Amino acid sequence: MAQRAQRRLHLNAFLMSTGHHEASWRLRESDPHAGTDIAHFVRLAQTAEQAKLDSIFFADSPVLWGSVAKRPTSALEPTVLLAALAVATSRIGLIATASTSYNSPYNLARRFASIDHISGGRVGWNVVTTAGADAARNFGLDAQPLHDDRYARAAEFLDVAEKLWDSWDDDAVLADKAAGVWGDEERVHPVEHTGRYFSVRGPLDIPRSPQGRPVIVQAGSSENGKDLAARYAEAVFTAQQTLEDAQAFYGDLKRRTAAVGRDPESIKILPGIVPVIASTEAEARRRDRELDELIRPEYARNELAGVLGLSPRDLPLDAQLPEDLPSEDAVEGAKSRYTLIVELARREHLTVRELIGRLGGGRGHRTIAGTPEQVADALQTWFDAGAADGFNIMPATLPGGLDDFVDHVVPILRERGLFRAEYEGATLREHYGLARPIPVRAEAVPA
Amino acid sequence: MAQRAQRRLHLNAFLMSTGHHEASWRLRESDPHAGTDIAHFVRLAQTAEQAKLDSIFFADSPVLWGSVAKRPTSALEPTVLLAALAVATSRIGLIATASTSYNSPYNLARRFASIDHISGGRVGWNVVTTAGADAARNFGLDAQPLHDDRYARAAEFLDVAEKLWDSWDDDAVLADKAAGVWGDEERVHPVEHTGRYFSVRGPLDIPRSPQGRPVIVQAGSSENGKDLAARYAEAVFTAQQTLEDAQAFYGDLKRRTAAVGRDPESIKILPGIVPVIASTEAEARRRDRELDELIRPEYARNELAGVLGLSPRDLPLDAQLPEDLPSEDAVEGAKSRYTLIVELARREHLTVRELIGRLGGGRGHRTIAGTPEQVADALQTWFDAGAADGFNIMPATLPGGLDDFVDHVVPILRERGLFRAEYEGATLREHYGLARPIPVRAEAVPA
Ligand SMILES: Cc1cc2nc3c(=O)[nH]c(=O)nc-3n(C[C@H](O)[C@H](O)[C@H](O)COP(=O)(O)O)c2cc1C
Ligand SMILES: Cc1cc2nc3c(=O)[nH]c(=O)nc-3n(C[C@H](O)[C@H](O)[C@H](O)COP(=O)(O)O)c2cc1C
């Protein structure tokens, strides 16, 4: 019990337009224009902040993703969205995805440093390599770079970004009005990076930010993805359907992190869950089913076919997946997502129609439909069983699903001593119990 | 008089940390950390909005510019800064510089479209090609691309961006809940651009924004710069020291705009002025001189030497510029700035020290030190004489210099019927009297 009182779980709210369920926009209460409405996101951010969640998160891919007929698209670019939300909130952490394949390190490092300043140290970056040829074609390429190359570029991108964030010493700004010396040129260092993918002179054009560096988040669960996370990530988003899989992933990633010489506590693992909450389990299940019934299977099948590298004609709705799918090794797109989908279908002998229902709710994440107690129990079980340091909450509907979670589940977690009653720190790092990074240069200098 | 009542001038506030005077940060009242303090910029934006200015503007270069010893650096990245200010204001226009040389059209077009949504149609983009090798070296290049190449890339960049902004028809979002069709796939168009610099498939991943496209601003006054402005720009920032030069520039640019088939009214020309305001002219001049005396000439000389392509040793402080400087044709950096500096020094027979004082105040822009009436008169003279459609106000000190301008000069302009008393429109385009652009696709379709 003393143990439990000390180990607290972390909660991130993963937000997107009308919610994670692909048919959520069709509900009467949903605003189908929510994806471009800043007032909608301000309300969500403030709701999450009132509940003292660690952070909110926005996913991203620099491409029109999927079918516009099917659902509202991702909409507002997340780095500018975070900046807007930074001034509408004061404590909650703010995390956005950005791609290492389709950005330059200088531009992206500056934007994150700037948002860290604007928010007073509350920013995090979900580092992704961006799967898919459609995104590549928005950036002068015919096809996506190979999976290995994307991850090699991601690692070098992070090296450059860290050097840029560290290019100003924490005490570089002297502001000596009498002498007329604003910054100390000896404490602002060129980066002089030359590597396989990038050559960047630096220094960054902004003083070191409150957190030193943004919190680095990672969400790829392939072998490459886990290796990248072990080296760089401080939080990890992952989709896990069963407790056993989640425990295996958790143990594996903590071991990899230790193996590269890092403290396993310095990486927080957050499986995603889609809560569908009602006062009875039957009512929650009914809500979940009603949402699934609003899915238009033809649109969803087109997308599924894309992920599996098949034609929609290969996927009759009432049959199971074809037998002869390639192994993950042969996939160049999002490897871990591919495997998760195929394994889910095989394990539960799902037809394409059933699989679409499962994915439509949370795109591969675990849906928990039940009472607030049942949802809290499910979270606690995974947390206590070494499967999670916290959770990525992906409401099926928004704003309603977030309201339900913070109004009904968070108080139970709090009562059980599993979740904070007040913010204790000021920065995103402090919310997650992460240390402020020591500058790379300082590390390099002999003591 | 009836004429004057109708023709109103436009006012943009060009904001940067502690003000445009390079020594402004040394004043007792200045906050030397203002450049990374969002509260400072929120206050400035709200001051400008209360005065009903058309817009505020932030310059940018993706490089640590000049000497950190000399003055606070540019600091917060302007696109995220605009997004933050969008939620702290409701009417004023929001303009930021971004480089066509060191961005991808897809990423930048999305960010501006997103800010246009967040601000309800108030965003503008100052399109620059970014001079200097130091910036190039942050993006994998050894030297800057040639001036002609930078401008050719800028033109293609704008073509791609316009296609992306127009890739969703205004009525593409159906939001038909009953039928389960969110967007109309027939009204969202791939861009399929293939050109010399870019190949971009599109469409953009966000519905068309309130203004259709951001307002395009341009600030290069070289031949290439003026040609780009004539084709694409809707507002132009320019540095002009004399009425004659300003009239010549104004006439030239309006003619070039007409020559490419555009209405000369559809491009607003805004020379920059640095107002230094006090209740007597003598007091204003004293303030201006005091600021100049705070300049540390060694830092400023290093920068001047950089712009002129010389070594600081070639520039003794109390001598005039060397005789044998190259002509603008031979310059690959910021051509029009080079010429402006050399001509100013020659025309007024300035020593290097005097030239540094003049540039330190407004980096080549015209300083007007005087009473509120004198400043208003100076603006009115240029406005009436066909030298300006409005002005780019560059306060020497911030926030004080902006307060002085809006408290003392704006009321005089308003009294004279030269400036609005209330916002009449909702968008930046409406403030400047600019039309909402017709989508390129629609133009291409026969009527
Ligand atoms: C909660 C969560 C959020 C994710 N967000 C993004 C995202 O915003 N953008 C993206 O491209 N991929 C996102 N991903 C996908 C992973 O990054 C994905 O696995 C990646 O595209 C391919 O990596 P892999 O091949 O290592 O699995 C997310 C995954 C999870 C579990
Ligand atoms: C008011 C004003 C603002 C400017 N802002 C920027 C800026 O933010 N970034 C930049 O690179 N250049 C800026 N410029 C400089 C011009 O764009 C400059 O002329 C350009 O760098 C080179 O163009 P040119 O060779 O056509 O003169 C500005 C110029 C003026 C007059």
PDB file of all heavy atoms in Angstrom, chain A residues 27 30 60 68-69 77 87 102 107 110 114 138 177 182-183 202, chain B residues 27 30 60 68-69 77 87 102 107 110 114 138 177 182-183 202:
ATOM      1  N   LEU A  27     -22.516  11.319 -34.914  1.00  0.00           N
ATOM      2  CA  LEU A  27     -23.458  11.430 -33.783  1.00  0.00           C
ATOM      3  C   LEU A  27     -24.123  12.802 -33.790  1.00  0.00           C
ATOM      4  O   LEU A  27     -23.523  13.788 -34.209  1.00  0.00           O
ATOM      5  CB  LEU A  27     -22.712  11.230 -32.462  1.00  0.00           C
ATOM      6  CG  LEU A  27     -22.113   9.835 -32.259  1.00  0.00           C
ATOM      7  CD1 LEU A  27     -21.303   9.811 -30.966  1.00  0.00           C
ATOM      8  CD2 LEU A  27     -23.216   8.776 -32.236  1.00  0.00           C
ATOM      9  N   SER A  30     -22.134  15.611 -32.165  1.00  0.00           N
ATOM     10  CA  SER A  30     -20.792  15.955 -32.663  1.00  0.00           C
ATOM     11  C   SER A  30     -20.837  17.133 -33.629  1.00  0.00           C
ATOM     12  O   SER A  30     -21.751  17.248 -34.450  1.00  0.00           O
ATOM     13  CB  SER A  30     -20.173  14.755 -33.382  1.00  0.00           C
ATOM     14  OG  SER A  30     -19.910  13.727 -32.462  1.00  0.00           O
ATOM     15  N   ASP A  60      -0.112  13.300 -36.119  1.00  0.00           N
ATOM     16  CA  ASP A  60       0.076  14.035 -37.368  1.00  0.00           C
ATOM     17  C   ASP A  60       0.701  13.193 -38.454  1.00  0.00           C
ATOM     18  O   ASP A  60       1.540  12.326 -38.194  1.00  0.00           O
ATOM     19  CB  ASP A  60       0.996  15.234 -37.162  1.00  0.00           C
ATOM     20  CG  ASP A  60       1.024  16.088 -38.424  1.00  0.00           C
ATOM     21  OD1 ASP A  60      -0.056  16.520 -38.844  1.00  0.00           O
ATOM     22  OD2 ASP A  60       2.102  16.288 -39.010  1.00  0.00           O
ATOM     23  N   VAL A  68     -11.645  11.426 -47.349  1.00  0.00           N
ATOM     24  CA  VAL A  68     -12.379  12.567 -46.793  1.00  0.00           C
ATOM     25  C   VAL A  68     -13.861  12.261 -46.653  1.00  0.00           C
ATOM     26  O   VAL A  68     -14.561  12.892 -45.867  1.00  0.00           O
ATOM     27  CB  VAL A  68     -12.224  13.881 -47.614  1.00  0.00           C
ATOM     28  CG1 VAL A  68     -10.791  14.356 -47.618  1.00  0.00           C
ATOM     29  CG2 VAL A  68     -12.789  13.762 -49.006  1.00  0.00           C
ATOM     30  N   ALA A  69     -14.343  11.312 -47.422  1.00  0.00           N
ATOM     31  CA  ALA A  69     -15.756  10.953 -47.290  1.00  0.00           C
ATOM     32  C   ALA A  69     -16.023  10.327 -45.925  1.00  0.00           C
ATOM     33  O   ALA A  69     -17.057  10.554 -45.301  1.00  0.00           O
ATOM     34  CB  ALA A  69     -16.157   9.982 -48.402  1.00  0.00           C
ATOM     35  N   GLU A  77      -2.547  21.898 -38.211  1.00  0.00           N
ATOM     36  CA  GLU A  77      -1.167  21.419 -38.067  1.00  0.00           C
ATOM     37  C   GLU A  77      -0.816  21.491 -36.586  1.00  0.00           C
ATOM     38  O   GLU A  77      -1.016  22.515 -35.926  1.00  0.00           O
ATOM     39  CB  GLU A  77      -0.246  22.291 -38.920  1.00  0.00           C
ATOM     40  CG  GLU A  77       1.150  21.751 -39.105  1.00  0.00           C
ATOM     41  CD  GLU A  77       2.071  22.017 -37.929  1.00  0.00           C
ATOM     42  OE1 GLU A  77       1.823  22.987 -37.167  1.00  0.00           O
ATOM     43  OE2 GLU A  77       3.031  21.253 -37.739  1.00  0.00           O
ATOM     44  N   VAL A  87      -1.226  29.239 -24.803  1.00  0.00           N
ATOM     45  CA  VAL A  87      -1.673  30.466 -24.140  1.00  0.00           C
ATOM     46  C   VAL A  87      -3.077  30.334 -23.562  1.00  0.00           C
ATOM     47  O   VAL A  87      -3.511  31.212 -22.814  1.00  0.00           O
ATOM     48  CB  VAL A  87      -1.573  31.716 -25.056  1.00  0.00           C
ATOM     49  CG1 VAL A  87      -0.124  31.962 -25.480  1.00  0.00           C
ATOM     50  CG2 VAL A  87      -2.470  31.612 -26.258  1.00  0.00           C
ATOM     51  N   TYR A 102      10.165  14.197 -43.143  1.00  0.00           N
ATOM     52  CA  TYR A 102       9.733  15.296 -44.008  1.00  0.00           C
ATOM     53  C   TYR A 102       9.873  16.668 -43.351  1.00  0.00           C
ATOM     54  O   TYR A 102       9.082  17.567 -43.620  1.00  0.00           O
ATOM     55  CB  TYR A 102       8.308  15.024 -44.498  1.00  0.00           C
ATOM     56  CG  TYR A 102       8.229  13.673 -45.163  1.00  0.00           C
ATOM     57  CD1 TYR A 102       7.443  12.643 -44.638  1.00  0.00           C
ATOM     58  CD2 TYR A 102       8.996  13.401 -46.291  1.00  0.00           C
ATOM     59  CE1 TYR A 102       7.423  11.382 -45.229  1.00  0.00           C
ATOM     60  CE2 TYR A 102       8.992  12.145 -46.884  1.00  0.00           C
ATOM     61  CZ  TYR A 102       8.200  11.143 -46.345  1.00  0.00           C
ATOM     62  OH  TYR A 102       8.198   9.903 -46.924  1.00  0.00           O
ATOM     63  N   ASN A 107      14.564  23.714 -38.621  1.00  0.00           N
ATOM     64  CA  ASN A 107      13.226  24.311 -38.515  1.00  0.00           C
ATOM     65  C   ASN A 107      12.425  23.687 -37.386  1.00  0.00           C
ATOM     66  O   ASN A 107      11.738  24.385 -36.633  1.00  0.00           O
ATOM     67  CB  ASN A 107      12.458  24.125 -39.824  1.00  0.00           C
ATOM     68  CG  ASN A 107      12.963  25.032 -40.933  1.00  0.00           C
ATOM     69  OD1 ASN A 107      13.581  26.053 -40.671  1.00  0.00           O
ATOM     70  ND2 ASN A 107      12.705  24.656 -42.172  1.00  0.00           N
ATOM     71  N   ARG A 110      13.732  24.478 -33.768  1.00  0.00           N
ATOM     72  CA  ARG A 110      13.359  25.848 -33.368  1.00  0.00           C
ATOM     73  C   ARG A 110      11.914  25.941 -32.964  1.00  0.00           C
ATOM     74  O   ARG A 110      11.574  26.651 -32.031  1.00  0.00           O
ATOM     75  CB  ARG A 110      13.369  26.797 -34.546  1.00  0.00           C
ATOM     76  CG  ARG A 110      14.418  27.208 -35.204  1.00  0.00           C
ATOM     77  CD  ARG A 110      14.081  28.144 -36.337  1.00  0.00           C
ATOM     78  NE  ARG A 110      13.804  29.475 -35.886  1.00  0.00           N
ATOM     79  CZ  ARG A 110      13.344  30.424 -36.679  1.00  0.00           C
ATOM     80  NH1 ARG A 110      13.097  30.174 -37.949  1.00  0.00           N
ATOM     81  NH2 ARG A 110      13.116  31.600 -36.206  1.00  0.00           N
ATOM     82  N   SER A 114      10.660  27.023 -29.382  1.00  0.00           N
ATOM     83  CA  SER A 114       9.804  28.206 -29.238  1.00  0.00           C
ATOM     84  C   SER A 114       8.543  27.873 -28.447  1.00  0.00           C
ATOM     85  O   SER A 114       8.129  28.642 -27.575  1.00  0.00           O
ATOM     86  CB  SER A 114       9.408  28.739 -30.618  1.00  0.00           C
ATOM     87  OG  SER A 114      10.540  29.226 -31.300  1.00  0.00           O
ATOM     88  N   ASN A 138       4.244  14.147 -51.291  1.00  0.00           N
ATOM     89  CA  ASN A 138       4.108  15.586 -51.021  1.00  0.00           C
ATOM     90  C   ASN A 138       5.455  16.269 -50.838  1.00  0.00           C
ATOM     91  O   ASN A 138       5.515  17.489 -50.652  1.00  0.00           O
ATOM     92  CB  ASN A 138       3.252  15.808 -49.764  1.00  0.00           C
ATOM     93  CG  ASN A 138       1.788  15.484 -50.026  1.00  0.00           C
ATOM     94  OD1 ASN A 138       1.330  15.586 -51.163  1.00  0.00           O
ATOM     95  ND2 ASN A 138       1.062  15.090 -48.988  1.00  0.00           N
ATOM     96  N   LYS A 177      23.263  45.353 -19.219  1.00  0.00           N
ATOM     97  CA  LYS A 177      22.928  46.641 -19.838  1.00  0.00           C
ATOM     98  C   LYS A 177      24.075  47.641 -19.709  1.00  0.00           C
ATOM     99  O   LYS A 177      24.346  48.408 -20.638  1.00  0.00           O
ATOM    100  CB  LYS A 177      21.671  47.231 -19.197  1.00  0.00           C
ATOM    101  CG  LYS A 177      20.399  46.473 -19.537  1.00  0.00           C
ATOM    102  CD  LYS A 177      19.173  47.164 -18.950  1.00  0.00           C
ATOM    103  CE  LYS A 177      17.910  46.411 -19.330  1.00  0.00           C
ATOM    104  NZ  LYS A 177      16.693  47.067 -18.813  1.00  0.00           N
ATOM    105  N   TRP A 182      24.683  41.711 -24.487  1.00  0.00           N
ATOM    106  CA  TRP A 182      23.444  40.968 -24.252  1.00  0.00           C
ATOM    107  C   TRP A 182      23.741  39.480 -24.025  1.00  0.00           C
ATOM    108  O   TRP A 182      23.477  38.950 -22.965  1.00  0.00           O
ATOM    109  CB  TRP A 182      22.474  41.159 -25.418  1.00  0.00           C
ATOM    110  CG  TRP A 182      21.149  40.505 -25.136  1.00  0.00           C
ATOM    111  CD1 TRP A 182      20.158  40.967 -24.309  1.00  0.00           C
ATOM    112  CD2 TRP A 182      20.687  39.251 -25.638  1.00  0.00           C
ATOM    113  NE1 TRP A 182      19.118  40.080 -24.275  1.00  0.00           N
ATOM    114  CE2 TRP A 182      19.412  39.021 -25.079  1.00  0.00           C
ATOM    115  CE3 TRP A 182      21.226  38.294 -26.514  1.00  0.00           C
ATOM    116  CZ2 TRP A 182      18.654  37.870 -25.367  1.00  0.00           C
ATOM    117  CZ3 TRP A 182      20.480  37.149 -26.794  1.00  0.00           C
ATOM    118  CH2 TRP A 182      19.210  36.957 -26.225  1.00  0.00           C
ATOM    119  N   GLY A 183      24.305  38.814 -25.026  1.00  0.00           N
ATOM    120  CA  GLY A 183      24.606  37.393 -24.871  1.00  0.00           C
ATOM    121  C   GLY A 183      26.108  37.174 -24.839  1.00  0.00           C
ATOM    122  O   GLY A 183      26.870  37.956 -25.401  1.00  0.00           O
ATOM    123  N   GLY A 202      24.372  25.468 -37.189  1.00  0.00           N
ATOM    124  CA  GLY A 202      23.941  26.015 -35.912  1.00  0.00           C
ATOM    125  C   GLY A 202      24.675  27.294 -35.606  1.00  0.00           C
ATOM    126  O   GLY A 202      25.346  27.833 -36.479  1.00  0.00           O
TER     127      GLY A 202
ATOM    128  N   LEU B  27      18.017  50.158 -22.467  1.00  0.00           N
ATOM    129  CA  LEU B  27      17.285  51.162 -21.685  1.00  0.00           C
ATOM    130  C   LEU B  27      16.809  50.551 -20.375  1.00  0.00           C
ATOM    131  O   LEU B  27      16.501  49.354 -20.303  1.00  0.00           O
ATOM    132  CB  LEU B  27      16.080  51.670 -22.473  1.00  0.00           C
ATOM    133  CG  LEU B  27      16.421  52.433 -23.759  1.00  0.00           C
ATOM    134  CD1 LEU B  27      15.141  52.780 -24.508  1.00  0.00           C
ATOM    135  CD2 LEU B  27      17.217  53.701 -23.430  1.00  0.00           C
ATOM    136  N   SER B  30      13.551  48.596 -20.511  1.00  0.00           N
ATOM    137  CA  SER B  30      13.427  47.438 -21.408  1.00  0.00           C
ATOM    138  C   SER B  30      13.673  46.130 -20.671  1.00  0.00           C
ATOM    139  O   SER B  30      14.557  46.043 -19.816  1.00  0.00           O
ATOM    140  CB  SER B  30      14.431  47.551 -22.561  1.00  0.00           C
ATOM    141  OG  SER B  30      14.083  48.617 -23.404  1.00  0.00           O
ATOM    142  N   ASP B  60      11.763  37.224 -39.844  1.00  0.00           N
ATOM    143  CA  ASP B  60      12.387  35.944 -39.532  1.00  0.00           C
ATOM    144  C   ASP B  60      13.517  35.602 -40.474  1.00  0.00           C
ATOM    145  O   ASP B  60      13.485  35.922 -41.664  1.00  0.00           O
ATOM    146  CB  ASP B  60      11.378  34.805 -39.631  1.00  0.00           C
ATOM    147  CG  ASP B  60      11.987  33.513 -39.117  1.00  0.00           C
ATOM    148  OD1 ASP B  60      12.416  33.517 -37.967  1.00  0.00           O
ATOM    149  OD2 ASP B  60      12.078  32.523 -39.875  1.00  0.00           O
ATOM    150  N   VAL B  68      25.198  37.837 -30.859  1.00  0.00           N
ATOM    151  CA  VAL B  68      24.389  37.730 -29.631  1.00  0.00           C
ATOM    152  C   VAL B  68      24.844  38.734 -28.584  1.00  0.00           C
ATOM    153  O   VAL B  68      24.084  39.090 -27.691  1.00  0.00           O
ATOM    154  CB  VAL B  68      24.395  36.316 -28.984  1.00  0.00           C
ATOM    155  CG1 VAL B  68      23.759  35.305 -29.897  1.00  0.00           C
ATOM    156  CG2 VAL B  68      25.769  35.895 -28.527  1.00  0.00           C
ATOM    157  N   ALA B  69      26.084  39.181 -28.682  1.00  0.00           N
ATOM    158  CA  ALA B  69      26.550  40.179 -27.722  1.00  0.00           C
ATOM    159  C   ALA B  69      25.791  41.487 -27.908  1.00  0.00           C
ATOM    160  O   ALA B  69      25.463  42.183 -26.954  1.00  0.00           O
ATOM    161  CB  ALA B  69      28.053  40.404 -27.897  1.00  0.00           C
ATOM    162  N   GLU B  77      10.006  31.470 -32.923  1.00  0.00           N
ATOM    163  CA  GLU B  77       9.728  31.197 -34.345  1.00  0.00           C
ATOM    164  C   GLU B  77       8.367  31.804 -34.661  1.00  0.00           C
ATOM    165  O   GLU B  77       7.379  31.565 -33.960  1.00  0.00           O
ATOM    166  CB  GLU B  77       9.750  29.685 -34.576  1.00  0.00           C
ATOM    167  CG  GLU B  77       9.772  29.265 -36.020  1.00  0.00           C
ATOM    168  CD  GLU B  77       8.409  29.295 -36.690  1.00  0.00           C
ATOM    169  OE1 GLU B  77       7.376  29.159 -35.972  1.00  0.00           O
ATOM    170  OE2 GLU B  77       8.353  29.470 -37.915  1.00  0.00           O
ATOM    171  N   VAL B  87      -5.032  33.386 -30.534  1.00  0.00           N
ATOM    172  CA  VAL B  87      -6.048  33.141 -29.503  1.00  0.00           C
ATOM    173  C   VAL B  87      -6.066  34.238 -28.437  1.00  0.00           C
ATOM    174  O   VAL B  87      -6.978  34.285 -27.622  1.00  0.00           O
ATOM    175  CB  VAL B  87      -5.928  31.745 -28.838  1.00  0.00           C
ATOM    176  CG1 VAL B  87      -6.107  30.654 -29.878  1.00  0.00           C
ATOM    177  CG2 VAL B  87      -4.617  31.569 -28.106  1.00  0.00           C
ATOM    178  N   TYR B 102      14.231  27.702 -47.529  1.00  0.00           N
ATOM    179  CA  TYR B 102      14.531  26.690 -46.513  1.00  0.00           C
ATOM    180  C   TYR B 102      13.291  26.073 -45.890  1.00  0.00           C
ATOM    181  O   TYR B 102      13.288  25.693 -44.725  1.00  0.00           O
ATOM    182  CB  TYR B 102      15.480  27.287 -45.463  1.00  0.00           C
ATOM    183  CG  TYR B 102      16.704  27.863 -46.119  1.00  0.00           C
ATOM    184  CD1 TYR B 102      16.992  29.225 -46.062  1.00  0.00           C
ATOM    185  CD2 TYR B 102      17.538  27.044 -46.879  1.00  0.00           C
ATOM    186  CE1 TYR B 102      18.097  29.742 -46.719  1.00  0.00           C
ATOM    187  CE2 TYR B 102      18.634  27.558 -47.549  1.00  0.00           C
ATOM    188  CZ  TYR B 102      18.915  28.909 -47.464  1.00  0.00           C
ATOM    189  OH  TYR B 102      19.999  29.427 -48.119  1.00  0.00           O
ATOM    190  N   ASN B 107       4.635  21.696 -46.053  1.00  0.00           N
ATOM    191  CA  ASN B 107       4.632  22.002 -44.622  1.00  0.00           C
ATOM    192  C   ASN B 107       4.225  23.451 -44.349  1.00  0.00           C
ATOM    193  O   ASN B 107       3.457  23.731 -43.431  1.00  0.00           O
ATOM    194  CB  ASN B 107       6.029  21.768 -44.026  1.00  0.00           C
ATOM    195  CG  ASN B 107       6.364  20.294 -43.889  1.00  0.00           C
ATOM    196  OD1 ASN B 107       5.478  19.451 -43.842  1.00  0.00           O
ATOM    197  ND2 ASN B 107       7.644  19.974 -43.842  1.00  0.00           N
ATOM    198  N   ARG B 110       0.480  24.306 -45.161  1.00  0.00           N
ATOM    199  CA  ARG B 110      -0.408  23.792 -44.104  1.00  0.00           C
ATOM    200  C   ARG B 110      -0.384  24.661 -42.882  1.00  0.00           C
ATOM    201  O   ARG B 110      -1.403  24.865 -42.241  1.00  0.00           O
ATOM    202  CB  ARG B 110       0.134  22.491 -43.531  1.00  0.00           C
ATOM    203  CG  ARG B 110       0.040  21.308 -44.150  1.00  0.00           C
ATOM    204  CD  ARG B 110       0.697  20.228 -43.296  1.00  0.00           C
ATOM    205  NE  ARG B 110      -0.228  19.731 -42.314  1.00  0.00           N
ATOM    206  CZ  ARG B 110       0.102  18.878 -41.395  1.00  0.00           C
ATOM    207  NH1 ARG B 110       1.339  18.422 -41.303  1.00  0.00           N
ATOM    208  NH2 ARG B 110      -0.785  18.477 -40.530  1.00  0.00           N
ATOM    209  N   SER B 114      -3.515  26.549 -41.396  1.00  0.00           N
ATOM    210  CA  SER B 114      -3.962  26.244 -40.032  1.00  0.00           C
ATOM    211  C   SER B 114      -4.107  27.524 -39.213  1.00  0.00           C
ATOM    212  O   SER B 114      -5.089  27.699 -38.484  1.00  0.00           O
ATOM    213  CB  SER B 114      -2.967  25.310 -39.336  1.00  0.00           C
ATOM    214  OG  SER B 114      -2.959  24.049 -39.968  1.00  0.00           O
ATOM    215  N   ASN B 138      22.677  26.053 -42.276  1.00  0.00           N
ATOM    216  CA  ASN B 138      21.787  25.308 -41.364  1.00  0.00           C
ATOM    217  C   ASN B 138      20.928  24.297 -42.106  1.00  0.00           C
ATOM    218  O   ASN B 138      20.176  23.546 -41.486  1.00  0.00           O
ATOM    219  CB  ASN B 138      20.891  26.278 -40.598  1.00  0.00           C
ATOM    220  CG  ASN B 138      21.671  27.062 -39.560  1.00  0.00           C
ATOM    221  OD1 ASN B 138      22.702  26.596 -39.070  1.00  0.00           O
ATOM    222  ND2 ASN B 138      21.189  28.250 -39.223  1.00  0.00           N
ATOM    223  N   LYS B 177     -24.367  13.830 -42.071  1.00  0.00           N
ATOM    224  CA  LYS B 177     -24.384  12.778 -41.051  1.00  0.00           C
ATOM    225  C   LYS B 177     -25.295  11.622 -41.445  1.00  0.00           C
ATOM    226  O   LYS B 177     -24.972  10.456 -41.216  1.00  0.00           O
ATOM    227  CB  LYS B 177     -24.846  13.355 -39.709  1.00  0.00           C
ATOM    228  CG  LYS B 177     -23.832  14.294 -39.079  1.00  0.00           C
ATOM    229  CD  LYS B 177     -24.316  14.742 -37.702  1.00  0.00           C
ATOM    230  CE  LYS B 177     -23.275  15.647 -37.050  1.00  0.00           C
ATOM    231  NZ  LYS B 177     -23.688  16.074 -35.701  1.00  0.00           N
ATOM    232  N   TRP B 182     -18.640  12.645 -45.034  1.00  0.00           N
ATOM    233  CA  TRP B 182     -18.125  13.874 -44.443  1.00  0.00           C
ATOM    234  C   TRP B 182     -17.674  14.854 -45.526  1.00  0.00           C
ATOM    235  O   TRP B 182     -18.205  15.948 -45.651  1.00  0.00           O
ATOM    236  CB  TRP B 182     -16.976  13.564 -43.474  1.00  0.00           C
ATOM    237  CG  TRP B 182     -16.520  14.798 -42.758  1.00  0.00           C
ATOM    238  CD1 TRP B 182     -17.153  15.414 -41.717  1.00  0.00           C
ATOM    239  CD2 TRP B 182     -15.370  15.590 -43.043  1.00  0.00           C
ATOM    240  NE1 TRP B 182     -16.466  16.551 -41.347  1.00  0.00           N
ATOM    241  CE2 TRP B 182     -15.366  16.680 -42.143  1.00  0.00           C
ATOM    242  CE3 TRP B 182     -14.331  15.488 -43.979  1.00  0.00           C
ATOM    243  CZ2 TRP B 182     -14.357  17.653 -42.142  1.00  0.00           C
ATOM    244  CZ3 TRP B 182     -13.333  16.458 -43.978  1.00  0.00           C
ATOM    245  CH2 TRP B 182     -13.357  17.527 -43.062  1.00  0.00           C
ATOM    246  N   GLY B 183     -16.700  14.467 -46.321  1.00  0.00           N
ATOM    247  CA  GLY B 183     -16.210  15.362 -47.376  1.00  0.00           C
ATOM    248  C   GLY B 183     -16.561  14.792 -48.744  1.00  0.00           C
ATOM    249  O   GLY B 183     -16.702  13.583 -48.913  1.00  0.00           O
ATOM    250  N   GLY B 202      -0.175  16.568 -53.270  1.00  0.00           N
ATOM    251  CA  GLY B 202      -1.374  17.120 -52.662  1.00  0.00           C
ATOM    252  C   GLY B 202      -2.460  16.078 -52.563  1.00  0.00           C
ATOM    253  O   GLY B 202      -2.196  14.904 -52.787  1.00  0.00           O
TER     254      GLY B 202
END
